[in-house]
Amino acid sequence: MESVSHDSLCIVSVMTLFRGLPRRGRSRRRAAVVAVTVLALTGAAGAAEMMVRFRIADRFAAGAEERLGQSPDVGLGGTPALWQLAQGAFPDVELEAKGASVNEMMGLDIDAHLHDVRRGPDAVTVRSSTVDVGIGAESLAGERLQQVNGTIVPEPASGRLILRAGPGGAITLPLTPSLDSTSIRITPERPTFNGSPLPAAMSERITEKVRHAVELDSLPLELRPQRLTVTDDGLSLSLRGGPATLDT
């Protein structure tokens, strides 16, 4: 009786084992199907995210291209573009352009951030904006300075730009850039020739050629200049804007 019971238990155990194998196989197949489905959905969502991000960035770039003379690179931050589009709000839109042109100034490096951009029924609005503009020395030279065959050397320590002109750069003319309301003003000091001041009449002719102002009163996004500093490369201009309507 014990032998029969023991054999019966063995048979039951083996049958139980083999009955479990198909269930485990089906479980593995179901898990594989779920995994493949999740991967497919993830891939589709990733592709949709990339497409939407590209399309949104393209719209912002097209809206800025006319003013900058080129299409800028556009960033939408770390928040998924699909979520931003669904909300109709973009917390931080960044536009970067190298060698852009605005008004009479060329060769500008622009880094702009548009904060809280919202899509309305009739327009796209911006709560505020910050723009930093790098103005290179070559851009500062312009036509007026080219008339005196001049080159500009930035001097950040003194907050001035040093114009060197004439044969071998013998004529030195310090320039002081400043903000005057909505203008950048370039104010020349008395030039020197090999370290000696030039005669008054000649000095006046030279300074009048390089004295000028760049008007900044027709900028988009209600931008207003805030700070102007001399850098190793030229000038750095910071602007801030308040609530505005965005061209897209």
Side-chain angles (χ1 to χ4, degrees), residues 48-112:
E49 168 68 17
M50 290 179 62
M51 182 182 69
V52 169
R53 185 171 287 267
F54 173 80
R55 293 295 297 274
I56 294 173
D58 187 62
R59 288 292 301 276
F60 279 110
E65 183 175 5
E66 184 175 350
R67 287 188 175 273
L68 300 180
Q70 62 172 265
S71 180
D73 294 329
V74 178
L76 300 176
T79 304
L82 286 167
W83 175 257
Q84 297 184 60
L85 181 64
Q87 298 298 307
F90 307 88
D92 181 19
V93 179
E94 182 179 14
L95 298 93
E96 287 187 313
K98 301 288 186 182
S101 301
V102 178
N103 296 345
E104 62 181 272
M105 304 185 73
M106 304 175 63
L108 307 177
D109 293 339
I110 297 176
D111 183 7

Side-chain angles (χ1 to χ4, degrees), residues 127-131 220-224 226 239-244:
R127 178 176 55 82
S128 64
S129 56
T130 59
V131 180
L221 300 174
E222 304 296 330
L223 287 169
R224 293 291 183 270
Q226 302 293 314
L239 305 103
R240 299 294 180 266

Side-chain angles (χ1 to χ4, degrees), residues 17 39 48 100 139-140 149 155 224 228 242:
L17 174 63
L39 289 174
S139 175
L140 289 168
N149 192 29
E155 195 177 78
R224 293 291 183 270
L228 182 69

Side-chain angles (χ1 to χ4, degrees), residues 210-232:
V210 298
R211 186 192 311 274
H212 70 289
V214 178
E215 298 298 330
L216 303 172
D217 57 356
S218 59
L219 298 176
L221 300 174
E222 304 296 330
L223 287 169
R224 293 291 183 270
Q226 302 293 314
R227 186 176 67 255
L228 182 69
T229 56
V230 178
T231 67
D232 290 334

Side-chain angles (χ1 to χ4, degrees), residues 115-196:
H115 306 295
D116 194 18
V117 181
R118 292 185 176 272
R119 184 185 58 192
D122 302 316
V124 176
T125 60
V126 182
R127 178 176 55 82
S128 64
S129 56
T130 59
V131 180
D132 294 312
V133 182
I135 309 171
E138 292 183 1
S139 175
L140 289 168
E143 294 183 2
R144 288 176 179 267
L145 300 188
Q146 290 173 7
Q147 292 175 7
V148 296
N149 192 29
T151 59
I152 287 182
V153 179
E155 195 177 78
S158 66
R160 299 185 301 179
L161 304 167
I162 307 301
L163 167 64
R164 303 192 185 281
I171 298 176
T172 299
L173 177 60
L175 306 172
T176 302
S178 61
L179 282 178
D180 180 9
S181 184
T182 58
S183 301
I184 296 177
R185 295 196 177 276
I186 304 296
T187 304
E189 301 176 17
R190 187 169 182 174
T192 61
F193 182 81
N194 286 333
S196 300

